[in-house]
C-alpha cells in the first residue's frame, strides 16, 4: 500500500473513532464521574455512590453529540434539554466539580476530560457537516491554552483575599473574547 493511502486510511480511522458515539459516551461519563470527586464519594455514604452511578447513566445517554440544525422544535424545557444535552452535560459537570471542591489533581483531570469531551462533541469540527479537510491544530491548541489558563486561575489560592475578583473578571473577559473570536471565525469560514 502506498504511504499516502496508508496515511489517509489511518486519518480516516482516527476521524471515525473521534466521530463515534462510543468515544463521546466514554469521555462524557468519565467527565461526570471525575466531577463528583470519586475519592470522597467512596469514603462517604452509600447514597453518594448511588447518585454517582445514576449521574453516570444519565451521562452515558447525554454524551453523544447531536448533529442537527439548530432549529427549536418546541419551547418545552424537556425538548430544549434533550436537544442541548451535550451543553448541559459539560456545564453540569463544571458545576458539580465546583460544588465538590475536588483536590487539584482531580480538578486537572476534570479540566482535561472537559477539553477532550468538548473537542470531540463540537459539531463544527467533528460533526457530519464539518469540513473533511486536514485538521488544523489551531482550534484544539487554542482550547487547550484557554483551559489551562482557566484551570490555573481557578486553582490559585486567592479565593479569600481582596484580589479574588480580579481573576474572576479576567476569566469572564477571556471567555467572552474567546466566544466572540470563535463566532467571528465561523462566520468568515
Amino acid at each position: 500500500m502506498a504511504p499516502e493511502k496508508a496515511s489517509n486510511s489511518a486519518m480516516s480511522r482516527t476521524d471515525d473513532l473521534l466521530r463515534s458515539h462510543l468515544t463521546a459516551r466514554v469521555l462524557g461519563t468519565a467527565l461526570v464521574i471525575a466531577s463528583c470527586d470519586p475519592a470522597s464519594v467512596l469514603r462517604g455514604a452509600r447514597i453518594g455512590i448511588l447518585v454517582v452511578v445514576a449521574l453516570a447513566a444519565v451521562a452515558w445517554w447525554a454524551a453523544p453529540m447531536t448533529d442537527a440544525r439548530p432549529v427549536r422544535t418546541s419551547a418545552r424545557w424537556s425538548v430544549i434539554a434533550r436537544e442541548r444535552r451535550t451543553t448541559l452535560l459539560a456545564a453540569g459537570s463544571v458545576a458539580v466539580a465546583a460544588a465538590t471542591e475536588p483536590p487539584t489533581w482531580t480538578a486537572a483531570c476534570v479540566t482535561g476530560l472537559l477539553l477532550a469531551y468538548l473537542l470531540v462533541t463540537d459539531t463544527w469540527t467533528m460533526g457530519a457537516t464539518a469540513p473533511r479537510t486536514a485538521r488544523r491544530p489551531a482550534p484544539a491548541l487554542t482550547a487547550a491554552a484557554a483551559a489551562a489558563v482557566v484551570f490555573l486561575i481557578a486553582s490559585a489560592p486567592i479565593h479569600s483575599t481582596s484580589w479574588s475578583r480580579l481573576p474572576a473578571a479576567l476569566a469572564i473577559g477571556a471567555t467572552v473574547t474567546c466566544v466572540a473570536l470563535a463566532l467571528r471565525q465561523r462566520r468568515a469560514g
Side-chain angles (χ1 to χ4, degrees):
M1 183 181 276
E4 187 177 306
K5 284 188 177 183
S7 174
N8 287 341
S9 68
M11 276 184 41
S12 175
R13 283 193 302 267
T14 302
D15 282 352
D16 290 344
L17 177 65
L18 288 176
R19 291 174 197 268
S20 77
H21 289 303
L22 180 63
T23 304
R25 286 181 195 272
V26 169
L27 284 171
T29 304
L31 173 63
V32 167
I33 291 171
S35 298
C36 294
D37 191 12
S40 66
V41 168
L42 292 175
R43 288 187 302 252
R46 293 205 189 274
I47 190 73
I49 295 171
L50 293 175
V51 168
V52 171
V53 169
L55 287 173
V58 170
W60 185 263
W61 166 78
M65 73 173 152
T66 53
D67 198 10
R69 291 186 156 276
V71 177
R72 183 177 287 177
T73 58
S74 173
R76 292 183 179 205
W77 284 106
S78 60
V79 174
I80 294 171
R82 188 173 51 245
E83 291 172 353
R84 305 290 183 239
R85 65 183 181 258
T86 55
T87 303
L88 293 174
L89 175 70
S93 296
V94 170
V96 168
T100 59
E101 296 183 30
T104 304
W105 68 271
T106 306
C109 292
V110 170
T111 302
L113 286 167
L114 178 64
L115 176 63
Y117 177 73
L118 291 175
L119 288 174
V120 165
T121 59
D122 180 33
T123 56
W124 180 253
T125 57
M126 290 295 162
T129 58
R132 298 279 183 191
T133 60
R135 302 276 184 245
R136 291 178 294 161
L141 292 175
T142 305
V149 168
V150 170
F151 173 73
L152 290 174
I153 290 172
S155 299
I158 60 168
H159 60 278
S160 60
T161 67
S162 61
W163 287 93
S164 61
R165 291 182 185 201
L166 177 63
L170 290 173
I172 290 171
T175 303
V176 168
T177 302
C178 289
V179 168
L181 289 173
L183 292 176
R184 182 172 172 242
Q185 183 180 13
R186 286 187 182 184
R187 276 192 223 127

